[in-house]
Each structure stands twice: as C-alpha cells, then as structure tokens.
C-alpha cells in the first residue's frame, strides 16, 4: 500500500449483508422472469436481450461484490476465498484499515485480477475514455435495426416470431429513403448483405475505439458489458446501474425498430415520421446524458485497479 492510497473501507456483516440482499432482490426482478420464460421455452424480444446477447449470466449477476478497496469481515465472508479474485487481507491492509491483528478480512485480489484481465482492463479504459471525448451524434434514428431486416425475404428472418410493422416492402422503403450512418460494429455486423453498402461508415472490431460516440444507443448499452468485465473490481451497485440503463435503452431501441411490439407492451416510436424522429432524438439525448455520468463513474472505478 503506497502513501497516496486511501485505507481500505471495512464492512462488517451488519453493513454488507443488507447490501448483498438488496442487490439480489434488485437482480431478481429482471432475472427471475427470464429464467421462468426460458424454462417454459418462451422468448421475449426486449426483456431477454441482456441475458442472451451479453455473456454475463443471471447467476453471475446475482453475486454481490463490494469492489476494490473494501475489506469484508465476518464468517459469512469466508466463502469468498473460494471465489475468483478474492483473497485474505494482508497485515498492512488490516493495520491501515484499523482492524485488530488476527481478525480475518476478505478483499478483492487486484494483482490476480490484473494478471487475468489485463487486456480487458486496458481496452475498457481506452474505449470509455475515447468515447467520452467525442461529440454525440443524434441523427441515426435507430435505423440499424431496420438495416438488419432490409430485403429480409432474400435473407433469413432475424426474429422469426415477430412481424414487421410496415411489412417487408414498407421497411425496405424506409431504409432506401434514409441516410444510414451507424458507428457501432456490433450493430453493423448484423446488417443484411444488401444493407451493408448503404451504411456510410465501415465499423470493424479494429476501428471500434476510433468510431464509438456517446450518442449511440448500442455504445451506451455496452456500458453494462464493460462493467461486468471489470467485476469484482467494481461494485455490484455500479454494475446494476449500468444494467438497468442498458435495459431501458433496449426497450427504446426496440420501440423504434421495424417490429410490431404493441402486443408485447411496447408501442412504436415511428421513426419514419417527423414526430417519431423528434421523439427518438429526445430520448436518445436523455440516455446520452445518463450514459456520460455512468461512463465517468466507470473510469473512476478503473483508476485504482492495478
């Protein structure tokens, strides 16, 4: 521990167990319905997405982590010695935290985490910091989802259990009459072959760090991805703030999609109309502002990691 580091925060069971329970309840309201649907062989086009597209599974999400710089005490914390990237707090850390000599404390193992996740940590720092410095763009109108089904009759249908609100011909007409400038590779890569040349940009995994911008819905949804890649180095409260923002963005993204989701409880944002475009941009700006705050929090959480 260096002289410029803050002493670890000590949490005894009376302080950290309620936080753990609150986190588990927070996760359950999203994860439990998904798991119930999955067991029944059912799908939901909006509310399954964060569990099926991203690699962080419900069981992983349920685990509460205090983040770096925290020592958990009490017998209830001992099981974390079997969890990856946890260790017993050393004598120096215990002294700095004011713990009595010999009292067991469990803490985040930053050195082991860095050894295992160096590439993810470094890339997260780059993508978050560079995205934050760019001006936000608000003229995409969610057309990436439309490009994913452009001329779909000649391609495999992306969501075979959904119908297109304007039909195939009407959807194609919107795509062909619009300027498409998607900057996010993980949206662009799902375009139909006929839609690829219509995009003004050519996002790739290699140029991702140079193209992502803070108005992009998908870049802002991905704050959840960068957060779970940094667990347990950051707190589960921050992780769930990113998750819930991503959940809300997904709902807005699908409302603006070409699919008819009215029966699912998601009325459309008709981006093919001036009123729909205006509504889309207003919500996009709102999410961009909230995402900027979370992006800053993530960068701050990254700072103390080795």
């Amino acid at each position: 521990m260096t002289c410029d580091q803050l002493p670890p925060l000590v949490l005894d069971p009376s302080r950290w167990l309620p936080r753990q329970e609150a986190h588990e309840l927070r996760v359950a309201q999203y994860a439990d319905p998904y798991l119930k649907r999955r067991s029944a062989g059912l799908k939901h086009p909006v509310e399954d997405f964060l569990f099926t597209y991203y690699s962080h599974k419900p069981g992983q999400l349920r685990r509460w982590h205090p983040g770096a710089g925290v020592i958990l005490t009490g017998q209830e914390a001992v099981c974390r010695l079997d969890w990856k990237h946890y260790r017993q707090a050393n004598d120096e850390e215990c002294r700095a935290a004011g713990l009595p000599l010999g009292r067991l404390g469990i803490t985040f193992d930053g050195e082991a985490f860095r050894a295992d996740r160096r590439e993810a940590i470094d890339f997260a720092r780059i993508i978050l910091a560079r995205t934050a410095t760019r001006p936000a763009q608000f003229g995409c109108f969610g057309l990436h989802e439309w490009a994913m089904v452009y001329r779909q009759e000649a391609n495999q249908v992306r969501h075979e259990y959904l119908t297109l609100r304007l039909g195939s011909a009407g959807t194609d007409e919107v795509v062909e009459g619009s300027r498409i400038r998607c900057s996010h590779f993980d949206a662009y890569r799902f375009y139909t072959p006929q839609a690829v040349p219509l995009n003004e940009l050519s996002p790739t995994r290699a140029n991702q760090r140079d193209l992502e911008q803070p108005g992009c819905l998908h870049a802002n949804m991905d704050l959840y991805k960068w957060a779970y890649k940094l667990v347990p180095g950051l707190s589960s409260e921050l992780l769930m703030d990113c998750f819930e923002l991503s959940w809300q963005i997904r709902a807005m993204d699908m409302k603006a999609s070409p699919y008819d989701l009215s029966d699912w409880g998601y009325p459309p944002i008709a981006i093919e109309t001036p009123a729909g475009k205006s509504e889309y941009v207003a919500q996009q700006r709102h999410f961009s502002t909230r995402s900027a705050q979370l992006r800053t929090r993530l960068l701050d959480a990254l700072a103390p990691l080795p």
Side-chain angles (χ1 to χ4, degrees):
M1 181 173 176
T2 62
C3 60
D4 60 341
Q5 289 179 312
L6 294 174
L9 172 67
V10 177
L11 297 178
D12 64 34
S14 68
R15 296 176 66 191
W16 70 262
L17 285 174
R19 284 178 59 181
Q20 176 176 274
E21 182 180 4
H23 170 74
E24 291 169 352
L25 291 172
R26 190 177 180 187
V27 173
Q29 64 182 312
Y30 301 101
D32 289 358
Y34 162 69
L35 293 172
K36 185 176 180 180
R37 284 192 300 272
R38 189 178 70 176
S39 295
L42 302 175
K43 296 179 180 180
H44 195 294
V46 179
E47 297 171 12
D48 290 352
F49 183 77
L50 267 63
F51 298 112
T52 57
Y53 176 75
Y54 292 109
S55 62
H56 207 56
K57 302 307 179 187
Q60 295 171 300
L61 189 62
R62 286 185 201 275
R63 279 194 169 185
W64 176 78
H65 303 282
V70 178
I71 296 177
L72 302 179
T73 65
Q75 190 61 35
E76 298 90 343
V78 174
C79 66
R80 290 172 185 254
L81 291 174
D82 295 326
W83 294 14
K84 198 170 185 179
H85 302 133
Y86 279 89
R87 61 170 173 78
Q88 184 173 337
N90 59 41
D91 289 345
E92 181 184 2
E93 291 165 332
C94 289
R95 279 195 299 270
L99 280 177
L101 192 63
R103 186 174 181 188
L104 182 64
I106 309 301
T107 193
F108 167 65
D109 190 342
E111 289 186 9
F113 184 77
R114 175 68 181 179
D116 289 344
R117 305 274 184 88
R118 179 180 59 82
E119 187 175 341
I121 295 169
D122 291 346
F123 188 77
R125 281 195 173 105
I126 291 170
I127 197 77
L128 292 169
R130 290 192 184 181
T131 301
T133 64
R134 297 191 183 98
Q137 305 295 319
F138 300 111
C140 69
F141 305 121
L143 285 162
H144 54 274
E145 289 288 343
W146 298 67
M148 293 177 193
V149 294
Y150 178 59
R151 297 189 184 178
Q152 74 161 10
E153 291 180 348
N155 303 282
Q156 183 178 3
V157 178
R158 181 165 166 78
H159 294 293
E160 72 282 354
Y161 61 100
L162 300 178
T163 58
L164 297 175
R165 184 166 52 81
L166 303 180
S168 293
T171 300
D172 293 349
E173 185 177 347
V174 170
V175 173
E176 291 163 359
S178 302
R179 181 188 183 194
I180 306 179
R181 190 178 169 81
C182 180
S183 58
H184 196 270
F185 173 67
D186 284 315
Y188 176 73
R189 69 189 176 97
F190 290 109
Y191 279 25
T192 63
Q194 294 89 342
V196 168
L198 302 180
N199 204 66
E200 293 183 7
L201 301 173
S202 297
T204 64
R205 188 66 71 203
N207 67 18
Q208 181 180 10
R209 66 189 69 189
D210 300 314
L211 284 183
E212 289 200 2
Q213 49 85 17
C216 173
L217 292 187
H218 279 257
N220 293 333
M221 287 178 66
D222 277 351
L223 294 178
Y224 169 59
K225 175 173 69 175
W226 305 124
Y228 71 67
K229 285 181 179 293
L230 300 172
V231 165
L234 53 73
S235 73
S236 289
E237 287 84 358
L238 176 52
L239 173 64
M240 280 305 295
D241 287 347
C242 293
F243 176 96
E244 289 180 342
L245 177 67
S246 187
W247 180 281
Q248 293 161 22
I249 292 175
R250 172 63 175 177
M252 182 257 193
D253 192 35
M254 290 302 283
K255 286 180 181 179
S257 77
Y259 302 111
D260 185 355
L261 300 177
S262 297
D263 289 345
W264 298 83
Y266 293 88
I269 299 174
I271 57 93
E272 72 277 10
T273 68
K277 285 182 170 66
S278 179
E279 180 182 357
Y280 185 92
V281 170
Q283 293 198 38
Q284 190 178 26
R285 287 183 181 276
H286 167 73
F287 285 127
S288 181
T289 298
R290 290 177 58 194
S291 298
Q293 296 166 352
L294 279 177
R295 195 172 281 110
T296 297
R297 289 173 61 193
L298 286 169
L299 285 166
D300 289 344
L302 272 165
L305 296 185

